[in-house]
Amino acid sequence: MATAETVFAASRCLFDQVTEELGSTDAAALTHSQLEDLLGSRMREVTRQLFQDHLRLRELTEQRLTEVVDATGVERTRIERGRSRILATVFGKVTVTRIAYRGAKVADLHPADAVLNLPAGMHSHGLAKLAAIEASRGSFAEACERINAVTGAGIGHRQVQELAVGAAADIDSFYDALVPAPCTDATALVLSVDGKGVVIRPEALREDTAKAASAKGGNKMKSRLAAGEKHGRKRMATLGAVYDAEPAERGVDDIITDPDPDPDPDPDPGDGDGDGHERRPGPKARSKWLTGSIDDTAAQVVAAVFDQAEHRDPTHRRCWVVLVDGARHQLDLINAEAERRGVKVHIVIDLIHVLEYLWDAAWCLHEAGDPAAEAFVARHARTILGGGAEQVAAALQTAARTAQLQKKRRKGIDDAIGYLRNKAQYLRYDTALERGWPIATGIIEGACRHLVKDRLDITGARWGLPGAEAVLKLRALRANGDFDTYWSWHEKQEFARNHQARYRDQLILTA
């Protein structure tokens, strides 16, 4: 009969060797950092041997099951003891030996694998978890270096990428099953969508992009792009965000200070912005959910964003606010999805994008660096915030006519006028501020930087589609603060796929 005393003899021996080494005169001369390196190396092997000895104990004590039947109803009538497989763990490689249940012309079954919830491949869930975390932080090469430094696993670049792809496999279904945080009907439900290009390998380009790049027939110069040229090597990643926000009513003065204030007869040095007005804070985002995909189309990501919103508000009782940058393609997709679902949405274009148009108009009328341009932008922005987009468009037109600007010089003004008039229905900031909605896309803009630019836009990187998709989803998962919860759920899905689904009625020992 196997006992812990005999099975763990090897690990005890290794531990005794470590204690003997630490008690030697040579160890007495080591610095603390040298001791850290020594123990890190020696104790990793002790821990690996403990793992191996424990598996050996399981092997010796495994009892034969009276009946093992697969999912198709075929029984395994013969056994073979001593069937082994390698498992690469965070401590090193170990051997798992167990009973194989066999039948004629059918795959062997190993119930002991289910008890351990062993992965389909060689690498443990612990290594996969490290790969998911490190691959979402930096390049796959850096992930390899970090994982090998911590574990000594000797894992390679391709293996890290494959583990990251596998780790992200259940993220979409995880969020489908996640119970949303409770909210009142008065809580605004905010949706936002944006896109960011990712340099991708030629074979992973979307069909239209690949055709355009091929038709172009190359650039004029080899070392750099000429004016108006593009590499034709990017695939658009679409990002989406959904969050809850309690309404916070504000006014124009809470957003932009009046550049022409009335003189204050009794100025208060304690006023925050110096104009006698203490600004009220805007609505705060909570229960933030981010998603992104480079594989799915923009329409599919928009649908996923609406899925998440309906998950939070299935009966459409709350006020749905959609924040966008004003791209026509996005607006069309959002309006179409809202109509398909029968939900009323209030689309608000990000104020920052509007300000950029005003600045372009300002430089048509002011010299570069002229401080008066700032007051010009502030005045018109305040009018737009008050619901006067058409009024500003008319004022810009009058200003251009008065200044007798030539067509080439007034392009910034013409663009601003066209933007304000074409998007007027989405520039009702007076309504948004009165109802306490957010008016800026900071959440999704930050997501573009964090999820895409800081990781997928690394200089010199060219992505394959599976790797880019996995990293994007893993970064979104971590940004949502859901990684640990997801990982526990992911391991349960792995158990169901790799083990439970292989047995009749899914009757197998739980992991």
Side-chain angles (χ1 to χ4, degrees):
M1 185 69 177
T3 64
E5 186 68 30
T6 57
V7 171
F8 288 95
S11 32
R12 283 196 182 90
C13 180
L14 283 176
F15 182 76
D16 289 342
Q17 291 175 11
V18 174
T19 58
E20 183 178 348
E21 187 173 5
L22 289 176
S24 67
T25 54
D26 289 340
L30 297 177
T31 65
H32 83 278
S33 62
Q34 291 172 327
L35 283 170
E36 285 178 327
D37 292 339
L38 175 66
L39 284 171
S41 173
R42 299 289 191 273
M43 292 309 295
R44 182 185 297 134
E45 177 57 24
V46 172
T47 307
R48 189 205 67 80
Q49 188 61 53
L50 280 167
F51 201 129
Q52 183 64 75
D53 290 349
H54 174 78
L55 294 175
R56 174 62 175 166
L57 181 62
R58 289 196 182 207
E59 173 195 352
L60 295 174
T61 57
E62 184 181 4
Q63 299 296 310
R64 176 176 181 173
L65 301 178
T66 57
E67 182 183 60
V68 175
V69 183
D70 68 18
T72 64
V74 178
E75 185 177 2
R76 304 301 189 268
T77 57
R78 295 179 287 117
I79 70 165
E80 178 183 332
R81 293 187 180 273
R83 183 67 68 83
S84 297
R85 61 172 287 187
I86 301 298
L87 178 67
T89 75
V90 293
F91 311 116
K93 291 182 180 178
V94 294
T95 302
V96 183
T97 306
R98 69 277 198 237
I99 297 174
Y101 290 78
R102 311 188 66 185
K105 298 181 180 180
V106 290
D108 296 345
L109 293 176
H110 308 87
D113 287 3
V115 178
L116 284 165
N117 193 16
L118 294 184
M122 182 177 70
H123 297 93
S124 71
H125 291 317
L127 277 177
K129 184 177 183 180
L130 273 177
I133 293 172
E134 296 300 333
S136 66
R137 283 177 174 164
S139 69
F140 287 128
E142 291 173 338
C144 287
E145 183 179 349
R146 176 63 179 163
I147 292 169
N148 291 330
V150 171
T151 69
I155 197 169
H157 179 286
R158 183 178 296 275
Q159 292 168 318
V160 169
Q161 181 172 340
E162 290 173 351
L163 288 174
V165 171
D170 296 312
I171 291 177
D172 289 341
S173 54
F174 166 74
Y175 279 113
D176 289 341
L178 195 64
V179 177
C183 288
T184 67
D185 291 349
T187 303
L189 182 58
V190 186
L191 299 74
S192 195
V193 180
D194 204 351
K196 182 74 175 177
V198 176
V199 177
I200 208 81
R201 291 174 185 161
E203 66 273 13
L205 289 171
R206 296 194 191 276
E207 184 178 355
D208 291 345
T209 307
K211 286 181 179 179
S214 176
K216 186 177 63 172
N219 296 319
K220 297 177 182 177
M221 297 183 288
K222 295 181 179 180
S223 59
R224 63 178 295 159
L225 295 175
E229 287 186 338
K230 295 183 178 180
H231 283 296
R233 60 182 186 176
K234 286 190 175 184
R235 183 175 174 129
M236 187 62 68
T238 307
L239 307 177
V242 178
Y243 59 91
D244 302 323
E246 297 300 331
E249 184 179 352
R250 291 176 293 169
V252 174
D253 290 334
D254 297 309
I255 310 300
I256 296 178
T257 301
D258 189 349
D260 308 305
D262 294 330
D264 189 347
D266 186 21
D268 183 354
D271 288 333
D273 57 11
D275 65 353
H277 178 78
E278 184 176 348
R279 294 188 178 182
R280 292 171 288 183
K284 304 296 183 183
R286 59 182 176 85
S287 300
K288 181 179 64 177
W289 172 85
L290 297 174
T291 190
S293 180
I294 194 170
D295 190 9
D296 295 340
T297 63
Q300 289 172 313
V301 175
V302 169
V305 168
F306 273 75
D307 285 343
Q308 172 63 203
E310 281 199 318
H311 193 49
R312 299 184 184 209
D313 182 29
T315 57
H316 305 167
R317 296 170 63 90
R318 296 165 60 186
C319 181
W320 291 32
V321 180
V322 183
L323 286 168
V324 292
D325 62 12
R328 173 50 58 186
H329 180 57
Q330 289 178 3
L331 291 170
D332 290 342
L333 291 175
I334 289 165
N335 282 317
E337 193 65 29
E339 182 178 356
R340 186 176 72 83
R341 296 173 187 250
V343 59
K344 182 179 180 180
V345 296
H346 304 274
I347 300 178
V348 179
I349 288 180
D350 173 34
L351 176 65
I352 305 303
H353 285 78
V354 178
L355 292 179
E356 290 302 316
Y357 278 92
L358 291 180
W359 275 108
D360 288 343
W363 297 129
C364 294
L365 299 167
H366 299 82
E367 296 296 329
D370 185 354
E374 187 171 15
F376 172 91
V377 170
R379 292 188 194 100
H380 288 310
R382 286 173 59 86
T383 301
I384 293 172
L385 285 169
E390 176 59 41
Q391 180 182 341
V392 171
L396 292 177
Q397 196 165 35
T398 299
R401 189 183 304 114
T402 301
Q404 298 182 338
L405 297 177
Q406 297 180 354
K407 185 175 181 180
K408 185 176 180 180
R409 176 69 189 276
R410 59 176 286 163
K411 182 179 184 305
I413 287 182
D414 289 339
D415 289 346
I417 292 171
Y419 188 85
L420 292 173
R421 287 179 171 162
N422 292 335
K423 302 293 193 299
Q425 61 179 314
Y426 307 124
L427 304 180
R428 294 307 307 268
Y429 298 113
D430 52 333
T431 301
L433 293 174
E434 182 182 353
R435 297 185 182 180
W437 302 338
I439 59 173
T441 58
I443 296 291
I444 197 67
E445 294 287 344
C448 283
R449 289 191 300 272
H450 175 66
L451 301 187
V452 178
K453 187 173 180 58
D454 293 349
R455 175 63 180 94
L456 297 177
D457 202 22
I458 296 174
T459 301
R462 288 200 309 166
W463 290 88
L465 192 55
E469 182 77 356
V471 167
L472 186 56
K473 288 187 178 296
L474 287 168
R475 284 181 73 83
L477 178 75
R478 295 187 66 212
N480 293 339
D482 293 329
F483 184 84
D484 290 337
T485 305
Y486 165 75
W487 196 259
S488 297
W489 195 83
H490 170 66
E491 288 195 9
K492 291 178 181 177
Q493 306 313 303
E494 286 280 277
F495 173 74
R497 277 191 296 266
N498 298 332
H499 304 293
Q500 196 174 44
R502 303 184 67 185
Y503 295 85
R504 183 179 65 185
D505 301 325
Q506 297 186 342
L507 295 177
I508 190 66
L509 294 174
T510 57

